[in-house]
Amino acid sequence: QEARAAAGLVHGNIVQIHEVACVEGVHFLAEEYVAGPTLKTWLTVRGPLDARQAVTVLGQVGSALARAAEQGVVHRDIKPENLLVTPGGDVKVADFGLARVLTGPEGMDLTQDGMTLGTPLYMSPEQAEGRAVDARSDLYSLGATVYHLLAGKPPFDGPTPLAVAMAHINQPATPLATLRPDLPAGLCAIIDT
């Protein structure tokens, strides 16, 4: 049901889901093909983004997340691996597999508070604690993602996924300007917030 709700999201910066179905007990999504790398691959091959590229990512992904929020959908797994770059340079949000629908008919919400789903490197504190999430959780994850794309490393690291999740809850990240003094102060302030 949540995949079907995500399939209803139509936006130029969201990978379009064409079909949600089950064949012989196998559930699947058929999605738009994007002939480009993920931002994780981009980072590995080309190195950290510059300020202009980061602002483009923020604007395009932010616009996609705003559309999702308008329709009551929280992605819950924003990370470089789920952001694809088209040959024309647009960024598209992919993989709504962990999406949560905040509004809709009774029974639409298939996951419950108290469940922790997502990727700890980019997870919002409330998500790490298994509390209720909303559009702000995706914005936090977008900030953590762009921090990684600019700094070349995630805002927090640790020996285990739990340690990383706890760092999001209990520690401030190293200020981005410390790692990238070449970036505009305003951009660093946006990401650090």
Side-chain angles (χ1 to χ4, degrees):
Q1 289 175 335
E2 291 187 341
R4 289 186 199 286
L9 296 173
V10 178
H11 188 278
N13 298 108
I14 294 176
V15 173
Q16 186 63 51
I17 299 172
H18 297 298
E19 182 72 31
V20 177
C22 180
V23 175
E24 297 179 8
V26 177
H27 295 272
F28 70 90
L29 300 172
E31 296 182 320
E32 165 190 7
Y33 173 69
V34 178
T38 67
L39 280 174
K40 180 177 183 176
T41 300
W42 179 287
L43 179 65
T44 301
V45 172
R46 299 184 183 199
L49 301 183
D50 63 30
R52 190 169 47 102
Q53 292 166 326
V55 169
T56 298
V57 170
L58 283 170
Q60 292 184 12
V61 176
S63 179
L65 294 177
R67 174 60 56 85
E70 287 169 4
Q71 295 190 19
V73 176
V74 180
H75 187 283
R76 297 198 304 179
D77 200 22
I78 296 296
K79 59 185 178 182
E81 295 94 316
N82 287 339
L83 303 177
L84 304 172
V85 182
T86 70
D90 293 325
V91 179
K92 290 190 170 244
V93 179
D95 194 1
F96 277 82
L98 295 181
R100 182 167 194 185
V101 178
L102 300 179
T103 59
E106 190 68 33
M108 179 68 93
D109 193 3
L110 299 179
T111 53
Q112 304 168 353
D113 293 339
M115 293 182 69
T116 302
L117 299 171
T119 304
L121 290 173
Y122 313 100
M123 190 179 286
S124 67
E126 64 275 6
Q127 194 172 352
E129 291 177 324
R131 292 187 286 125
V133 298
D134 59 30
R136 295 171 294 181
S137 299
D138 282 347
L139 291 179
Y140 180 95
S141 296
L142 175 57
T145 294
V146 175
Y147 183 105
H148 183 177
L149 296 170
L150 287 166
K153 65 179 189 171
F156 299 103
D157 199 7
T160 66
L162 179 59
V164 174
M166 293 307 294
H168 280 278
I169 296 167
N170 297 317
Q171 298 175 12
T174 301
L176 187 55
T178 302
L179 303 171
R180 289 286 305 274
D182 60 305
L183 294 173
L187 175 60
C188 290
I190 289 169
I191 302 302
D192 287 343
T193 303

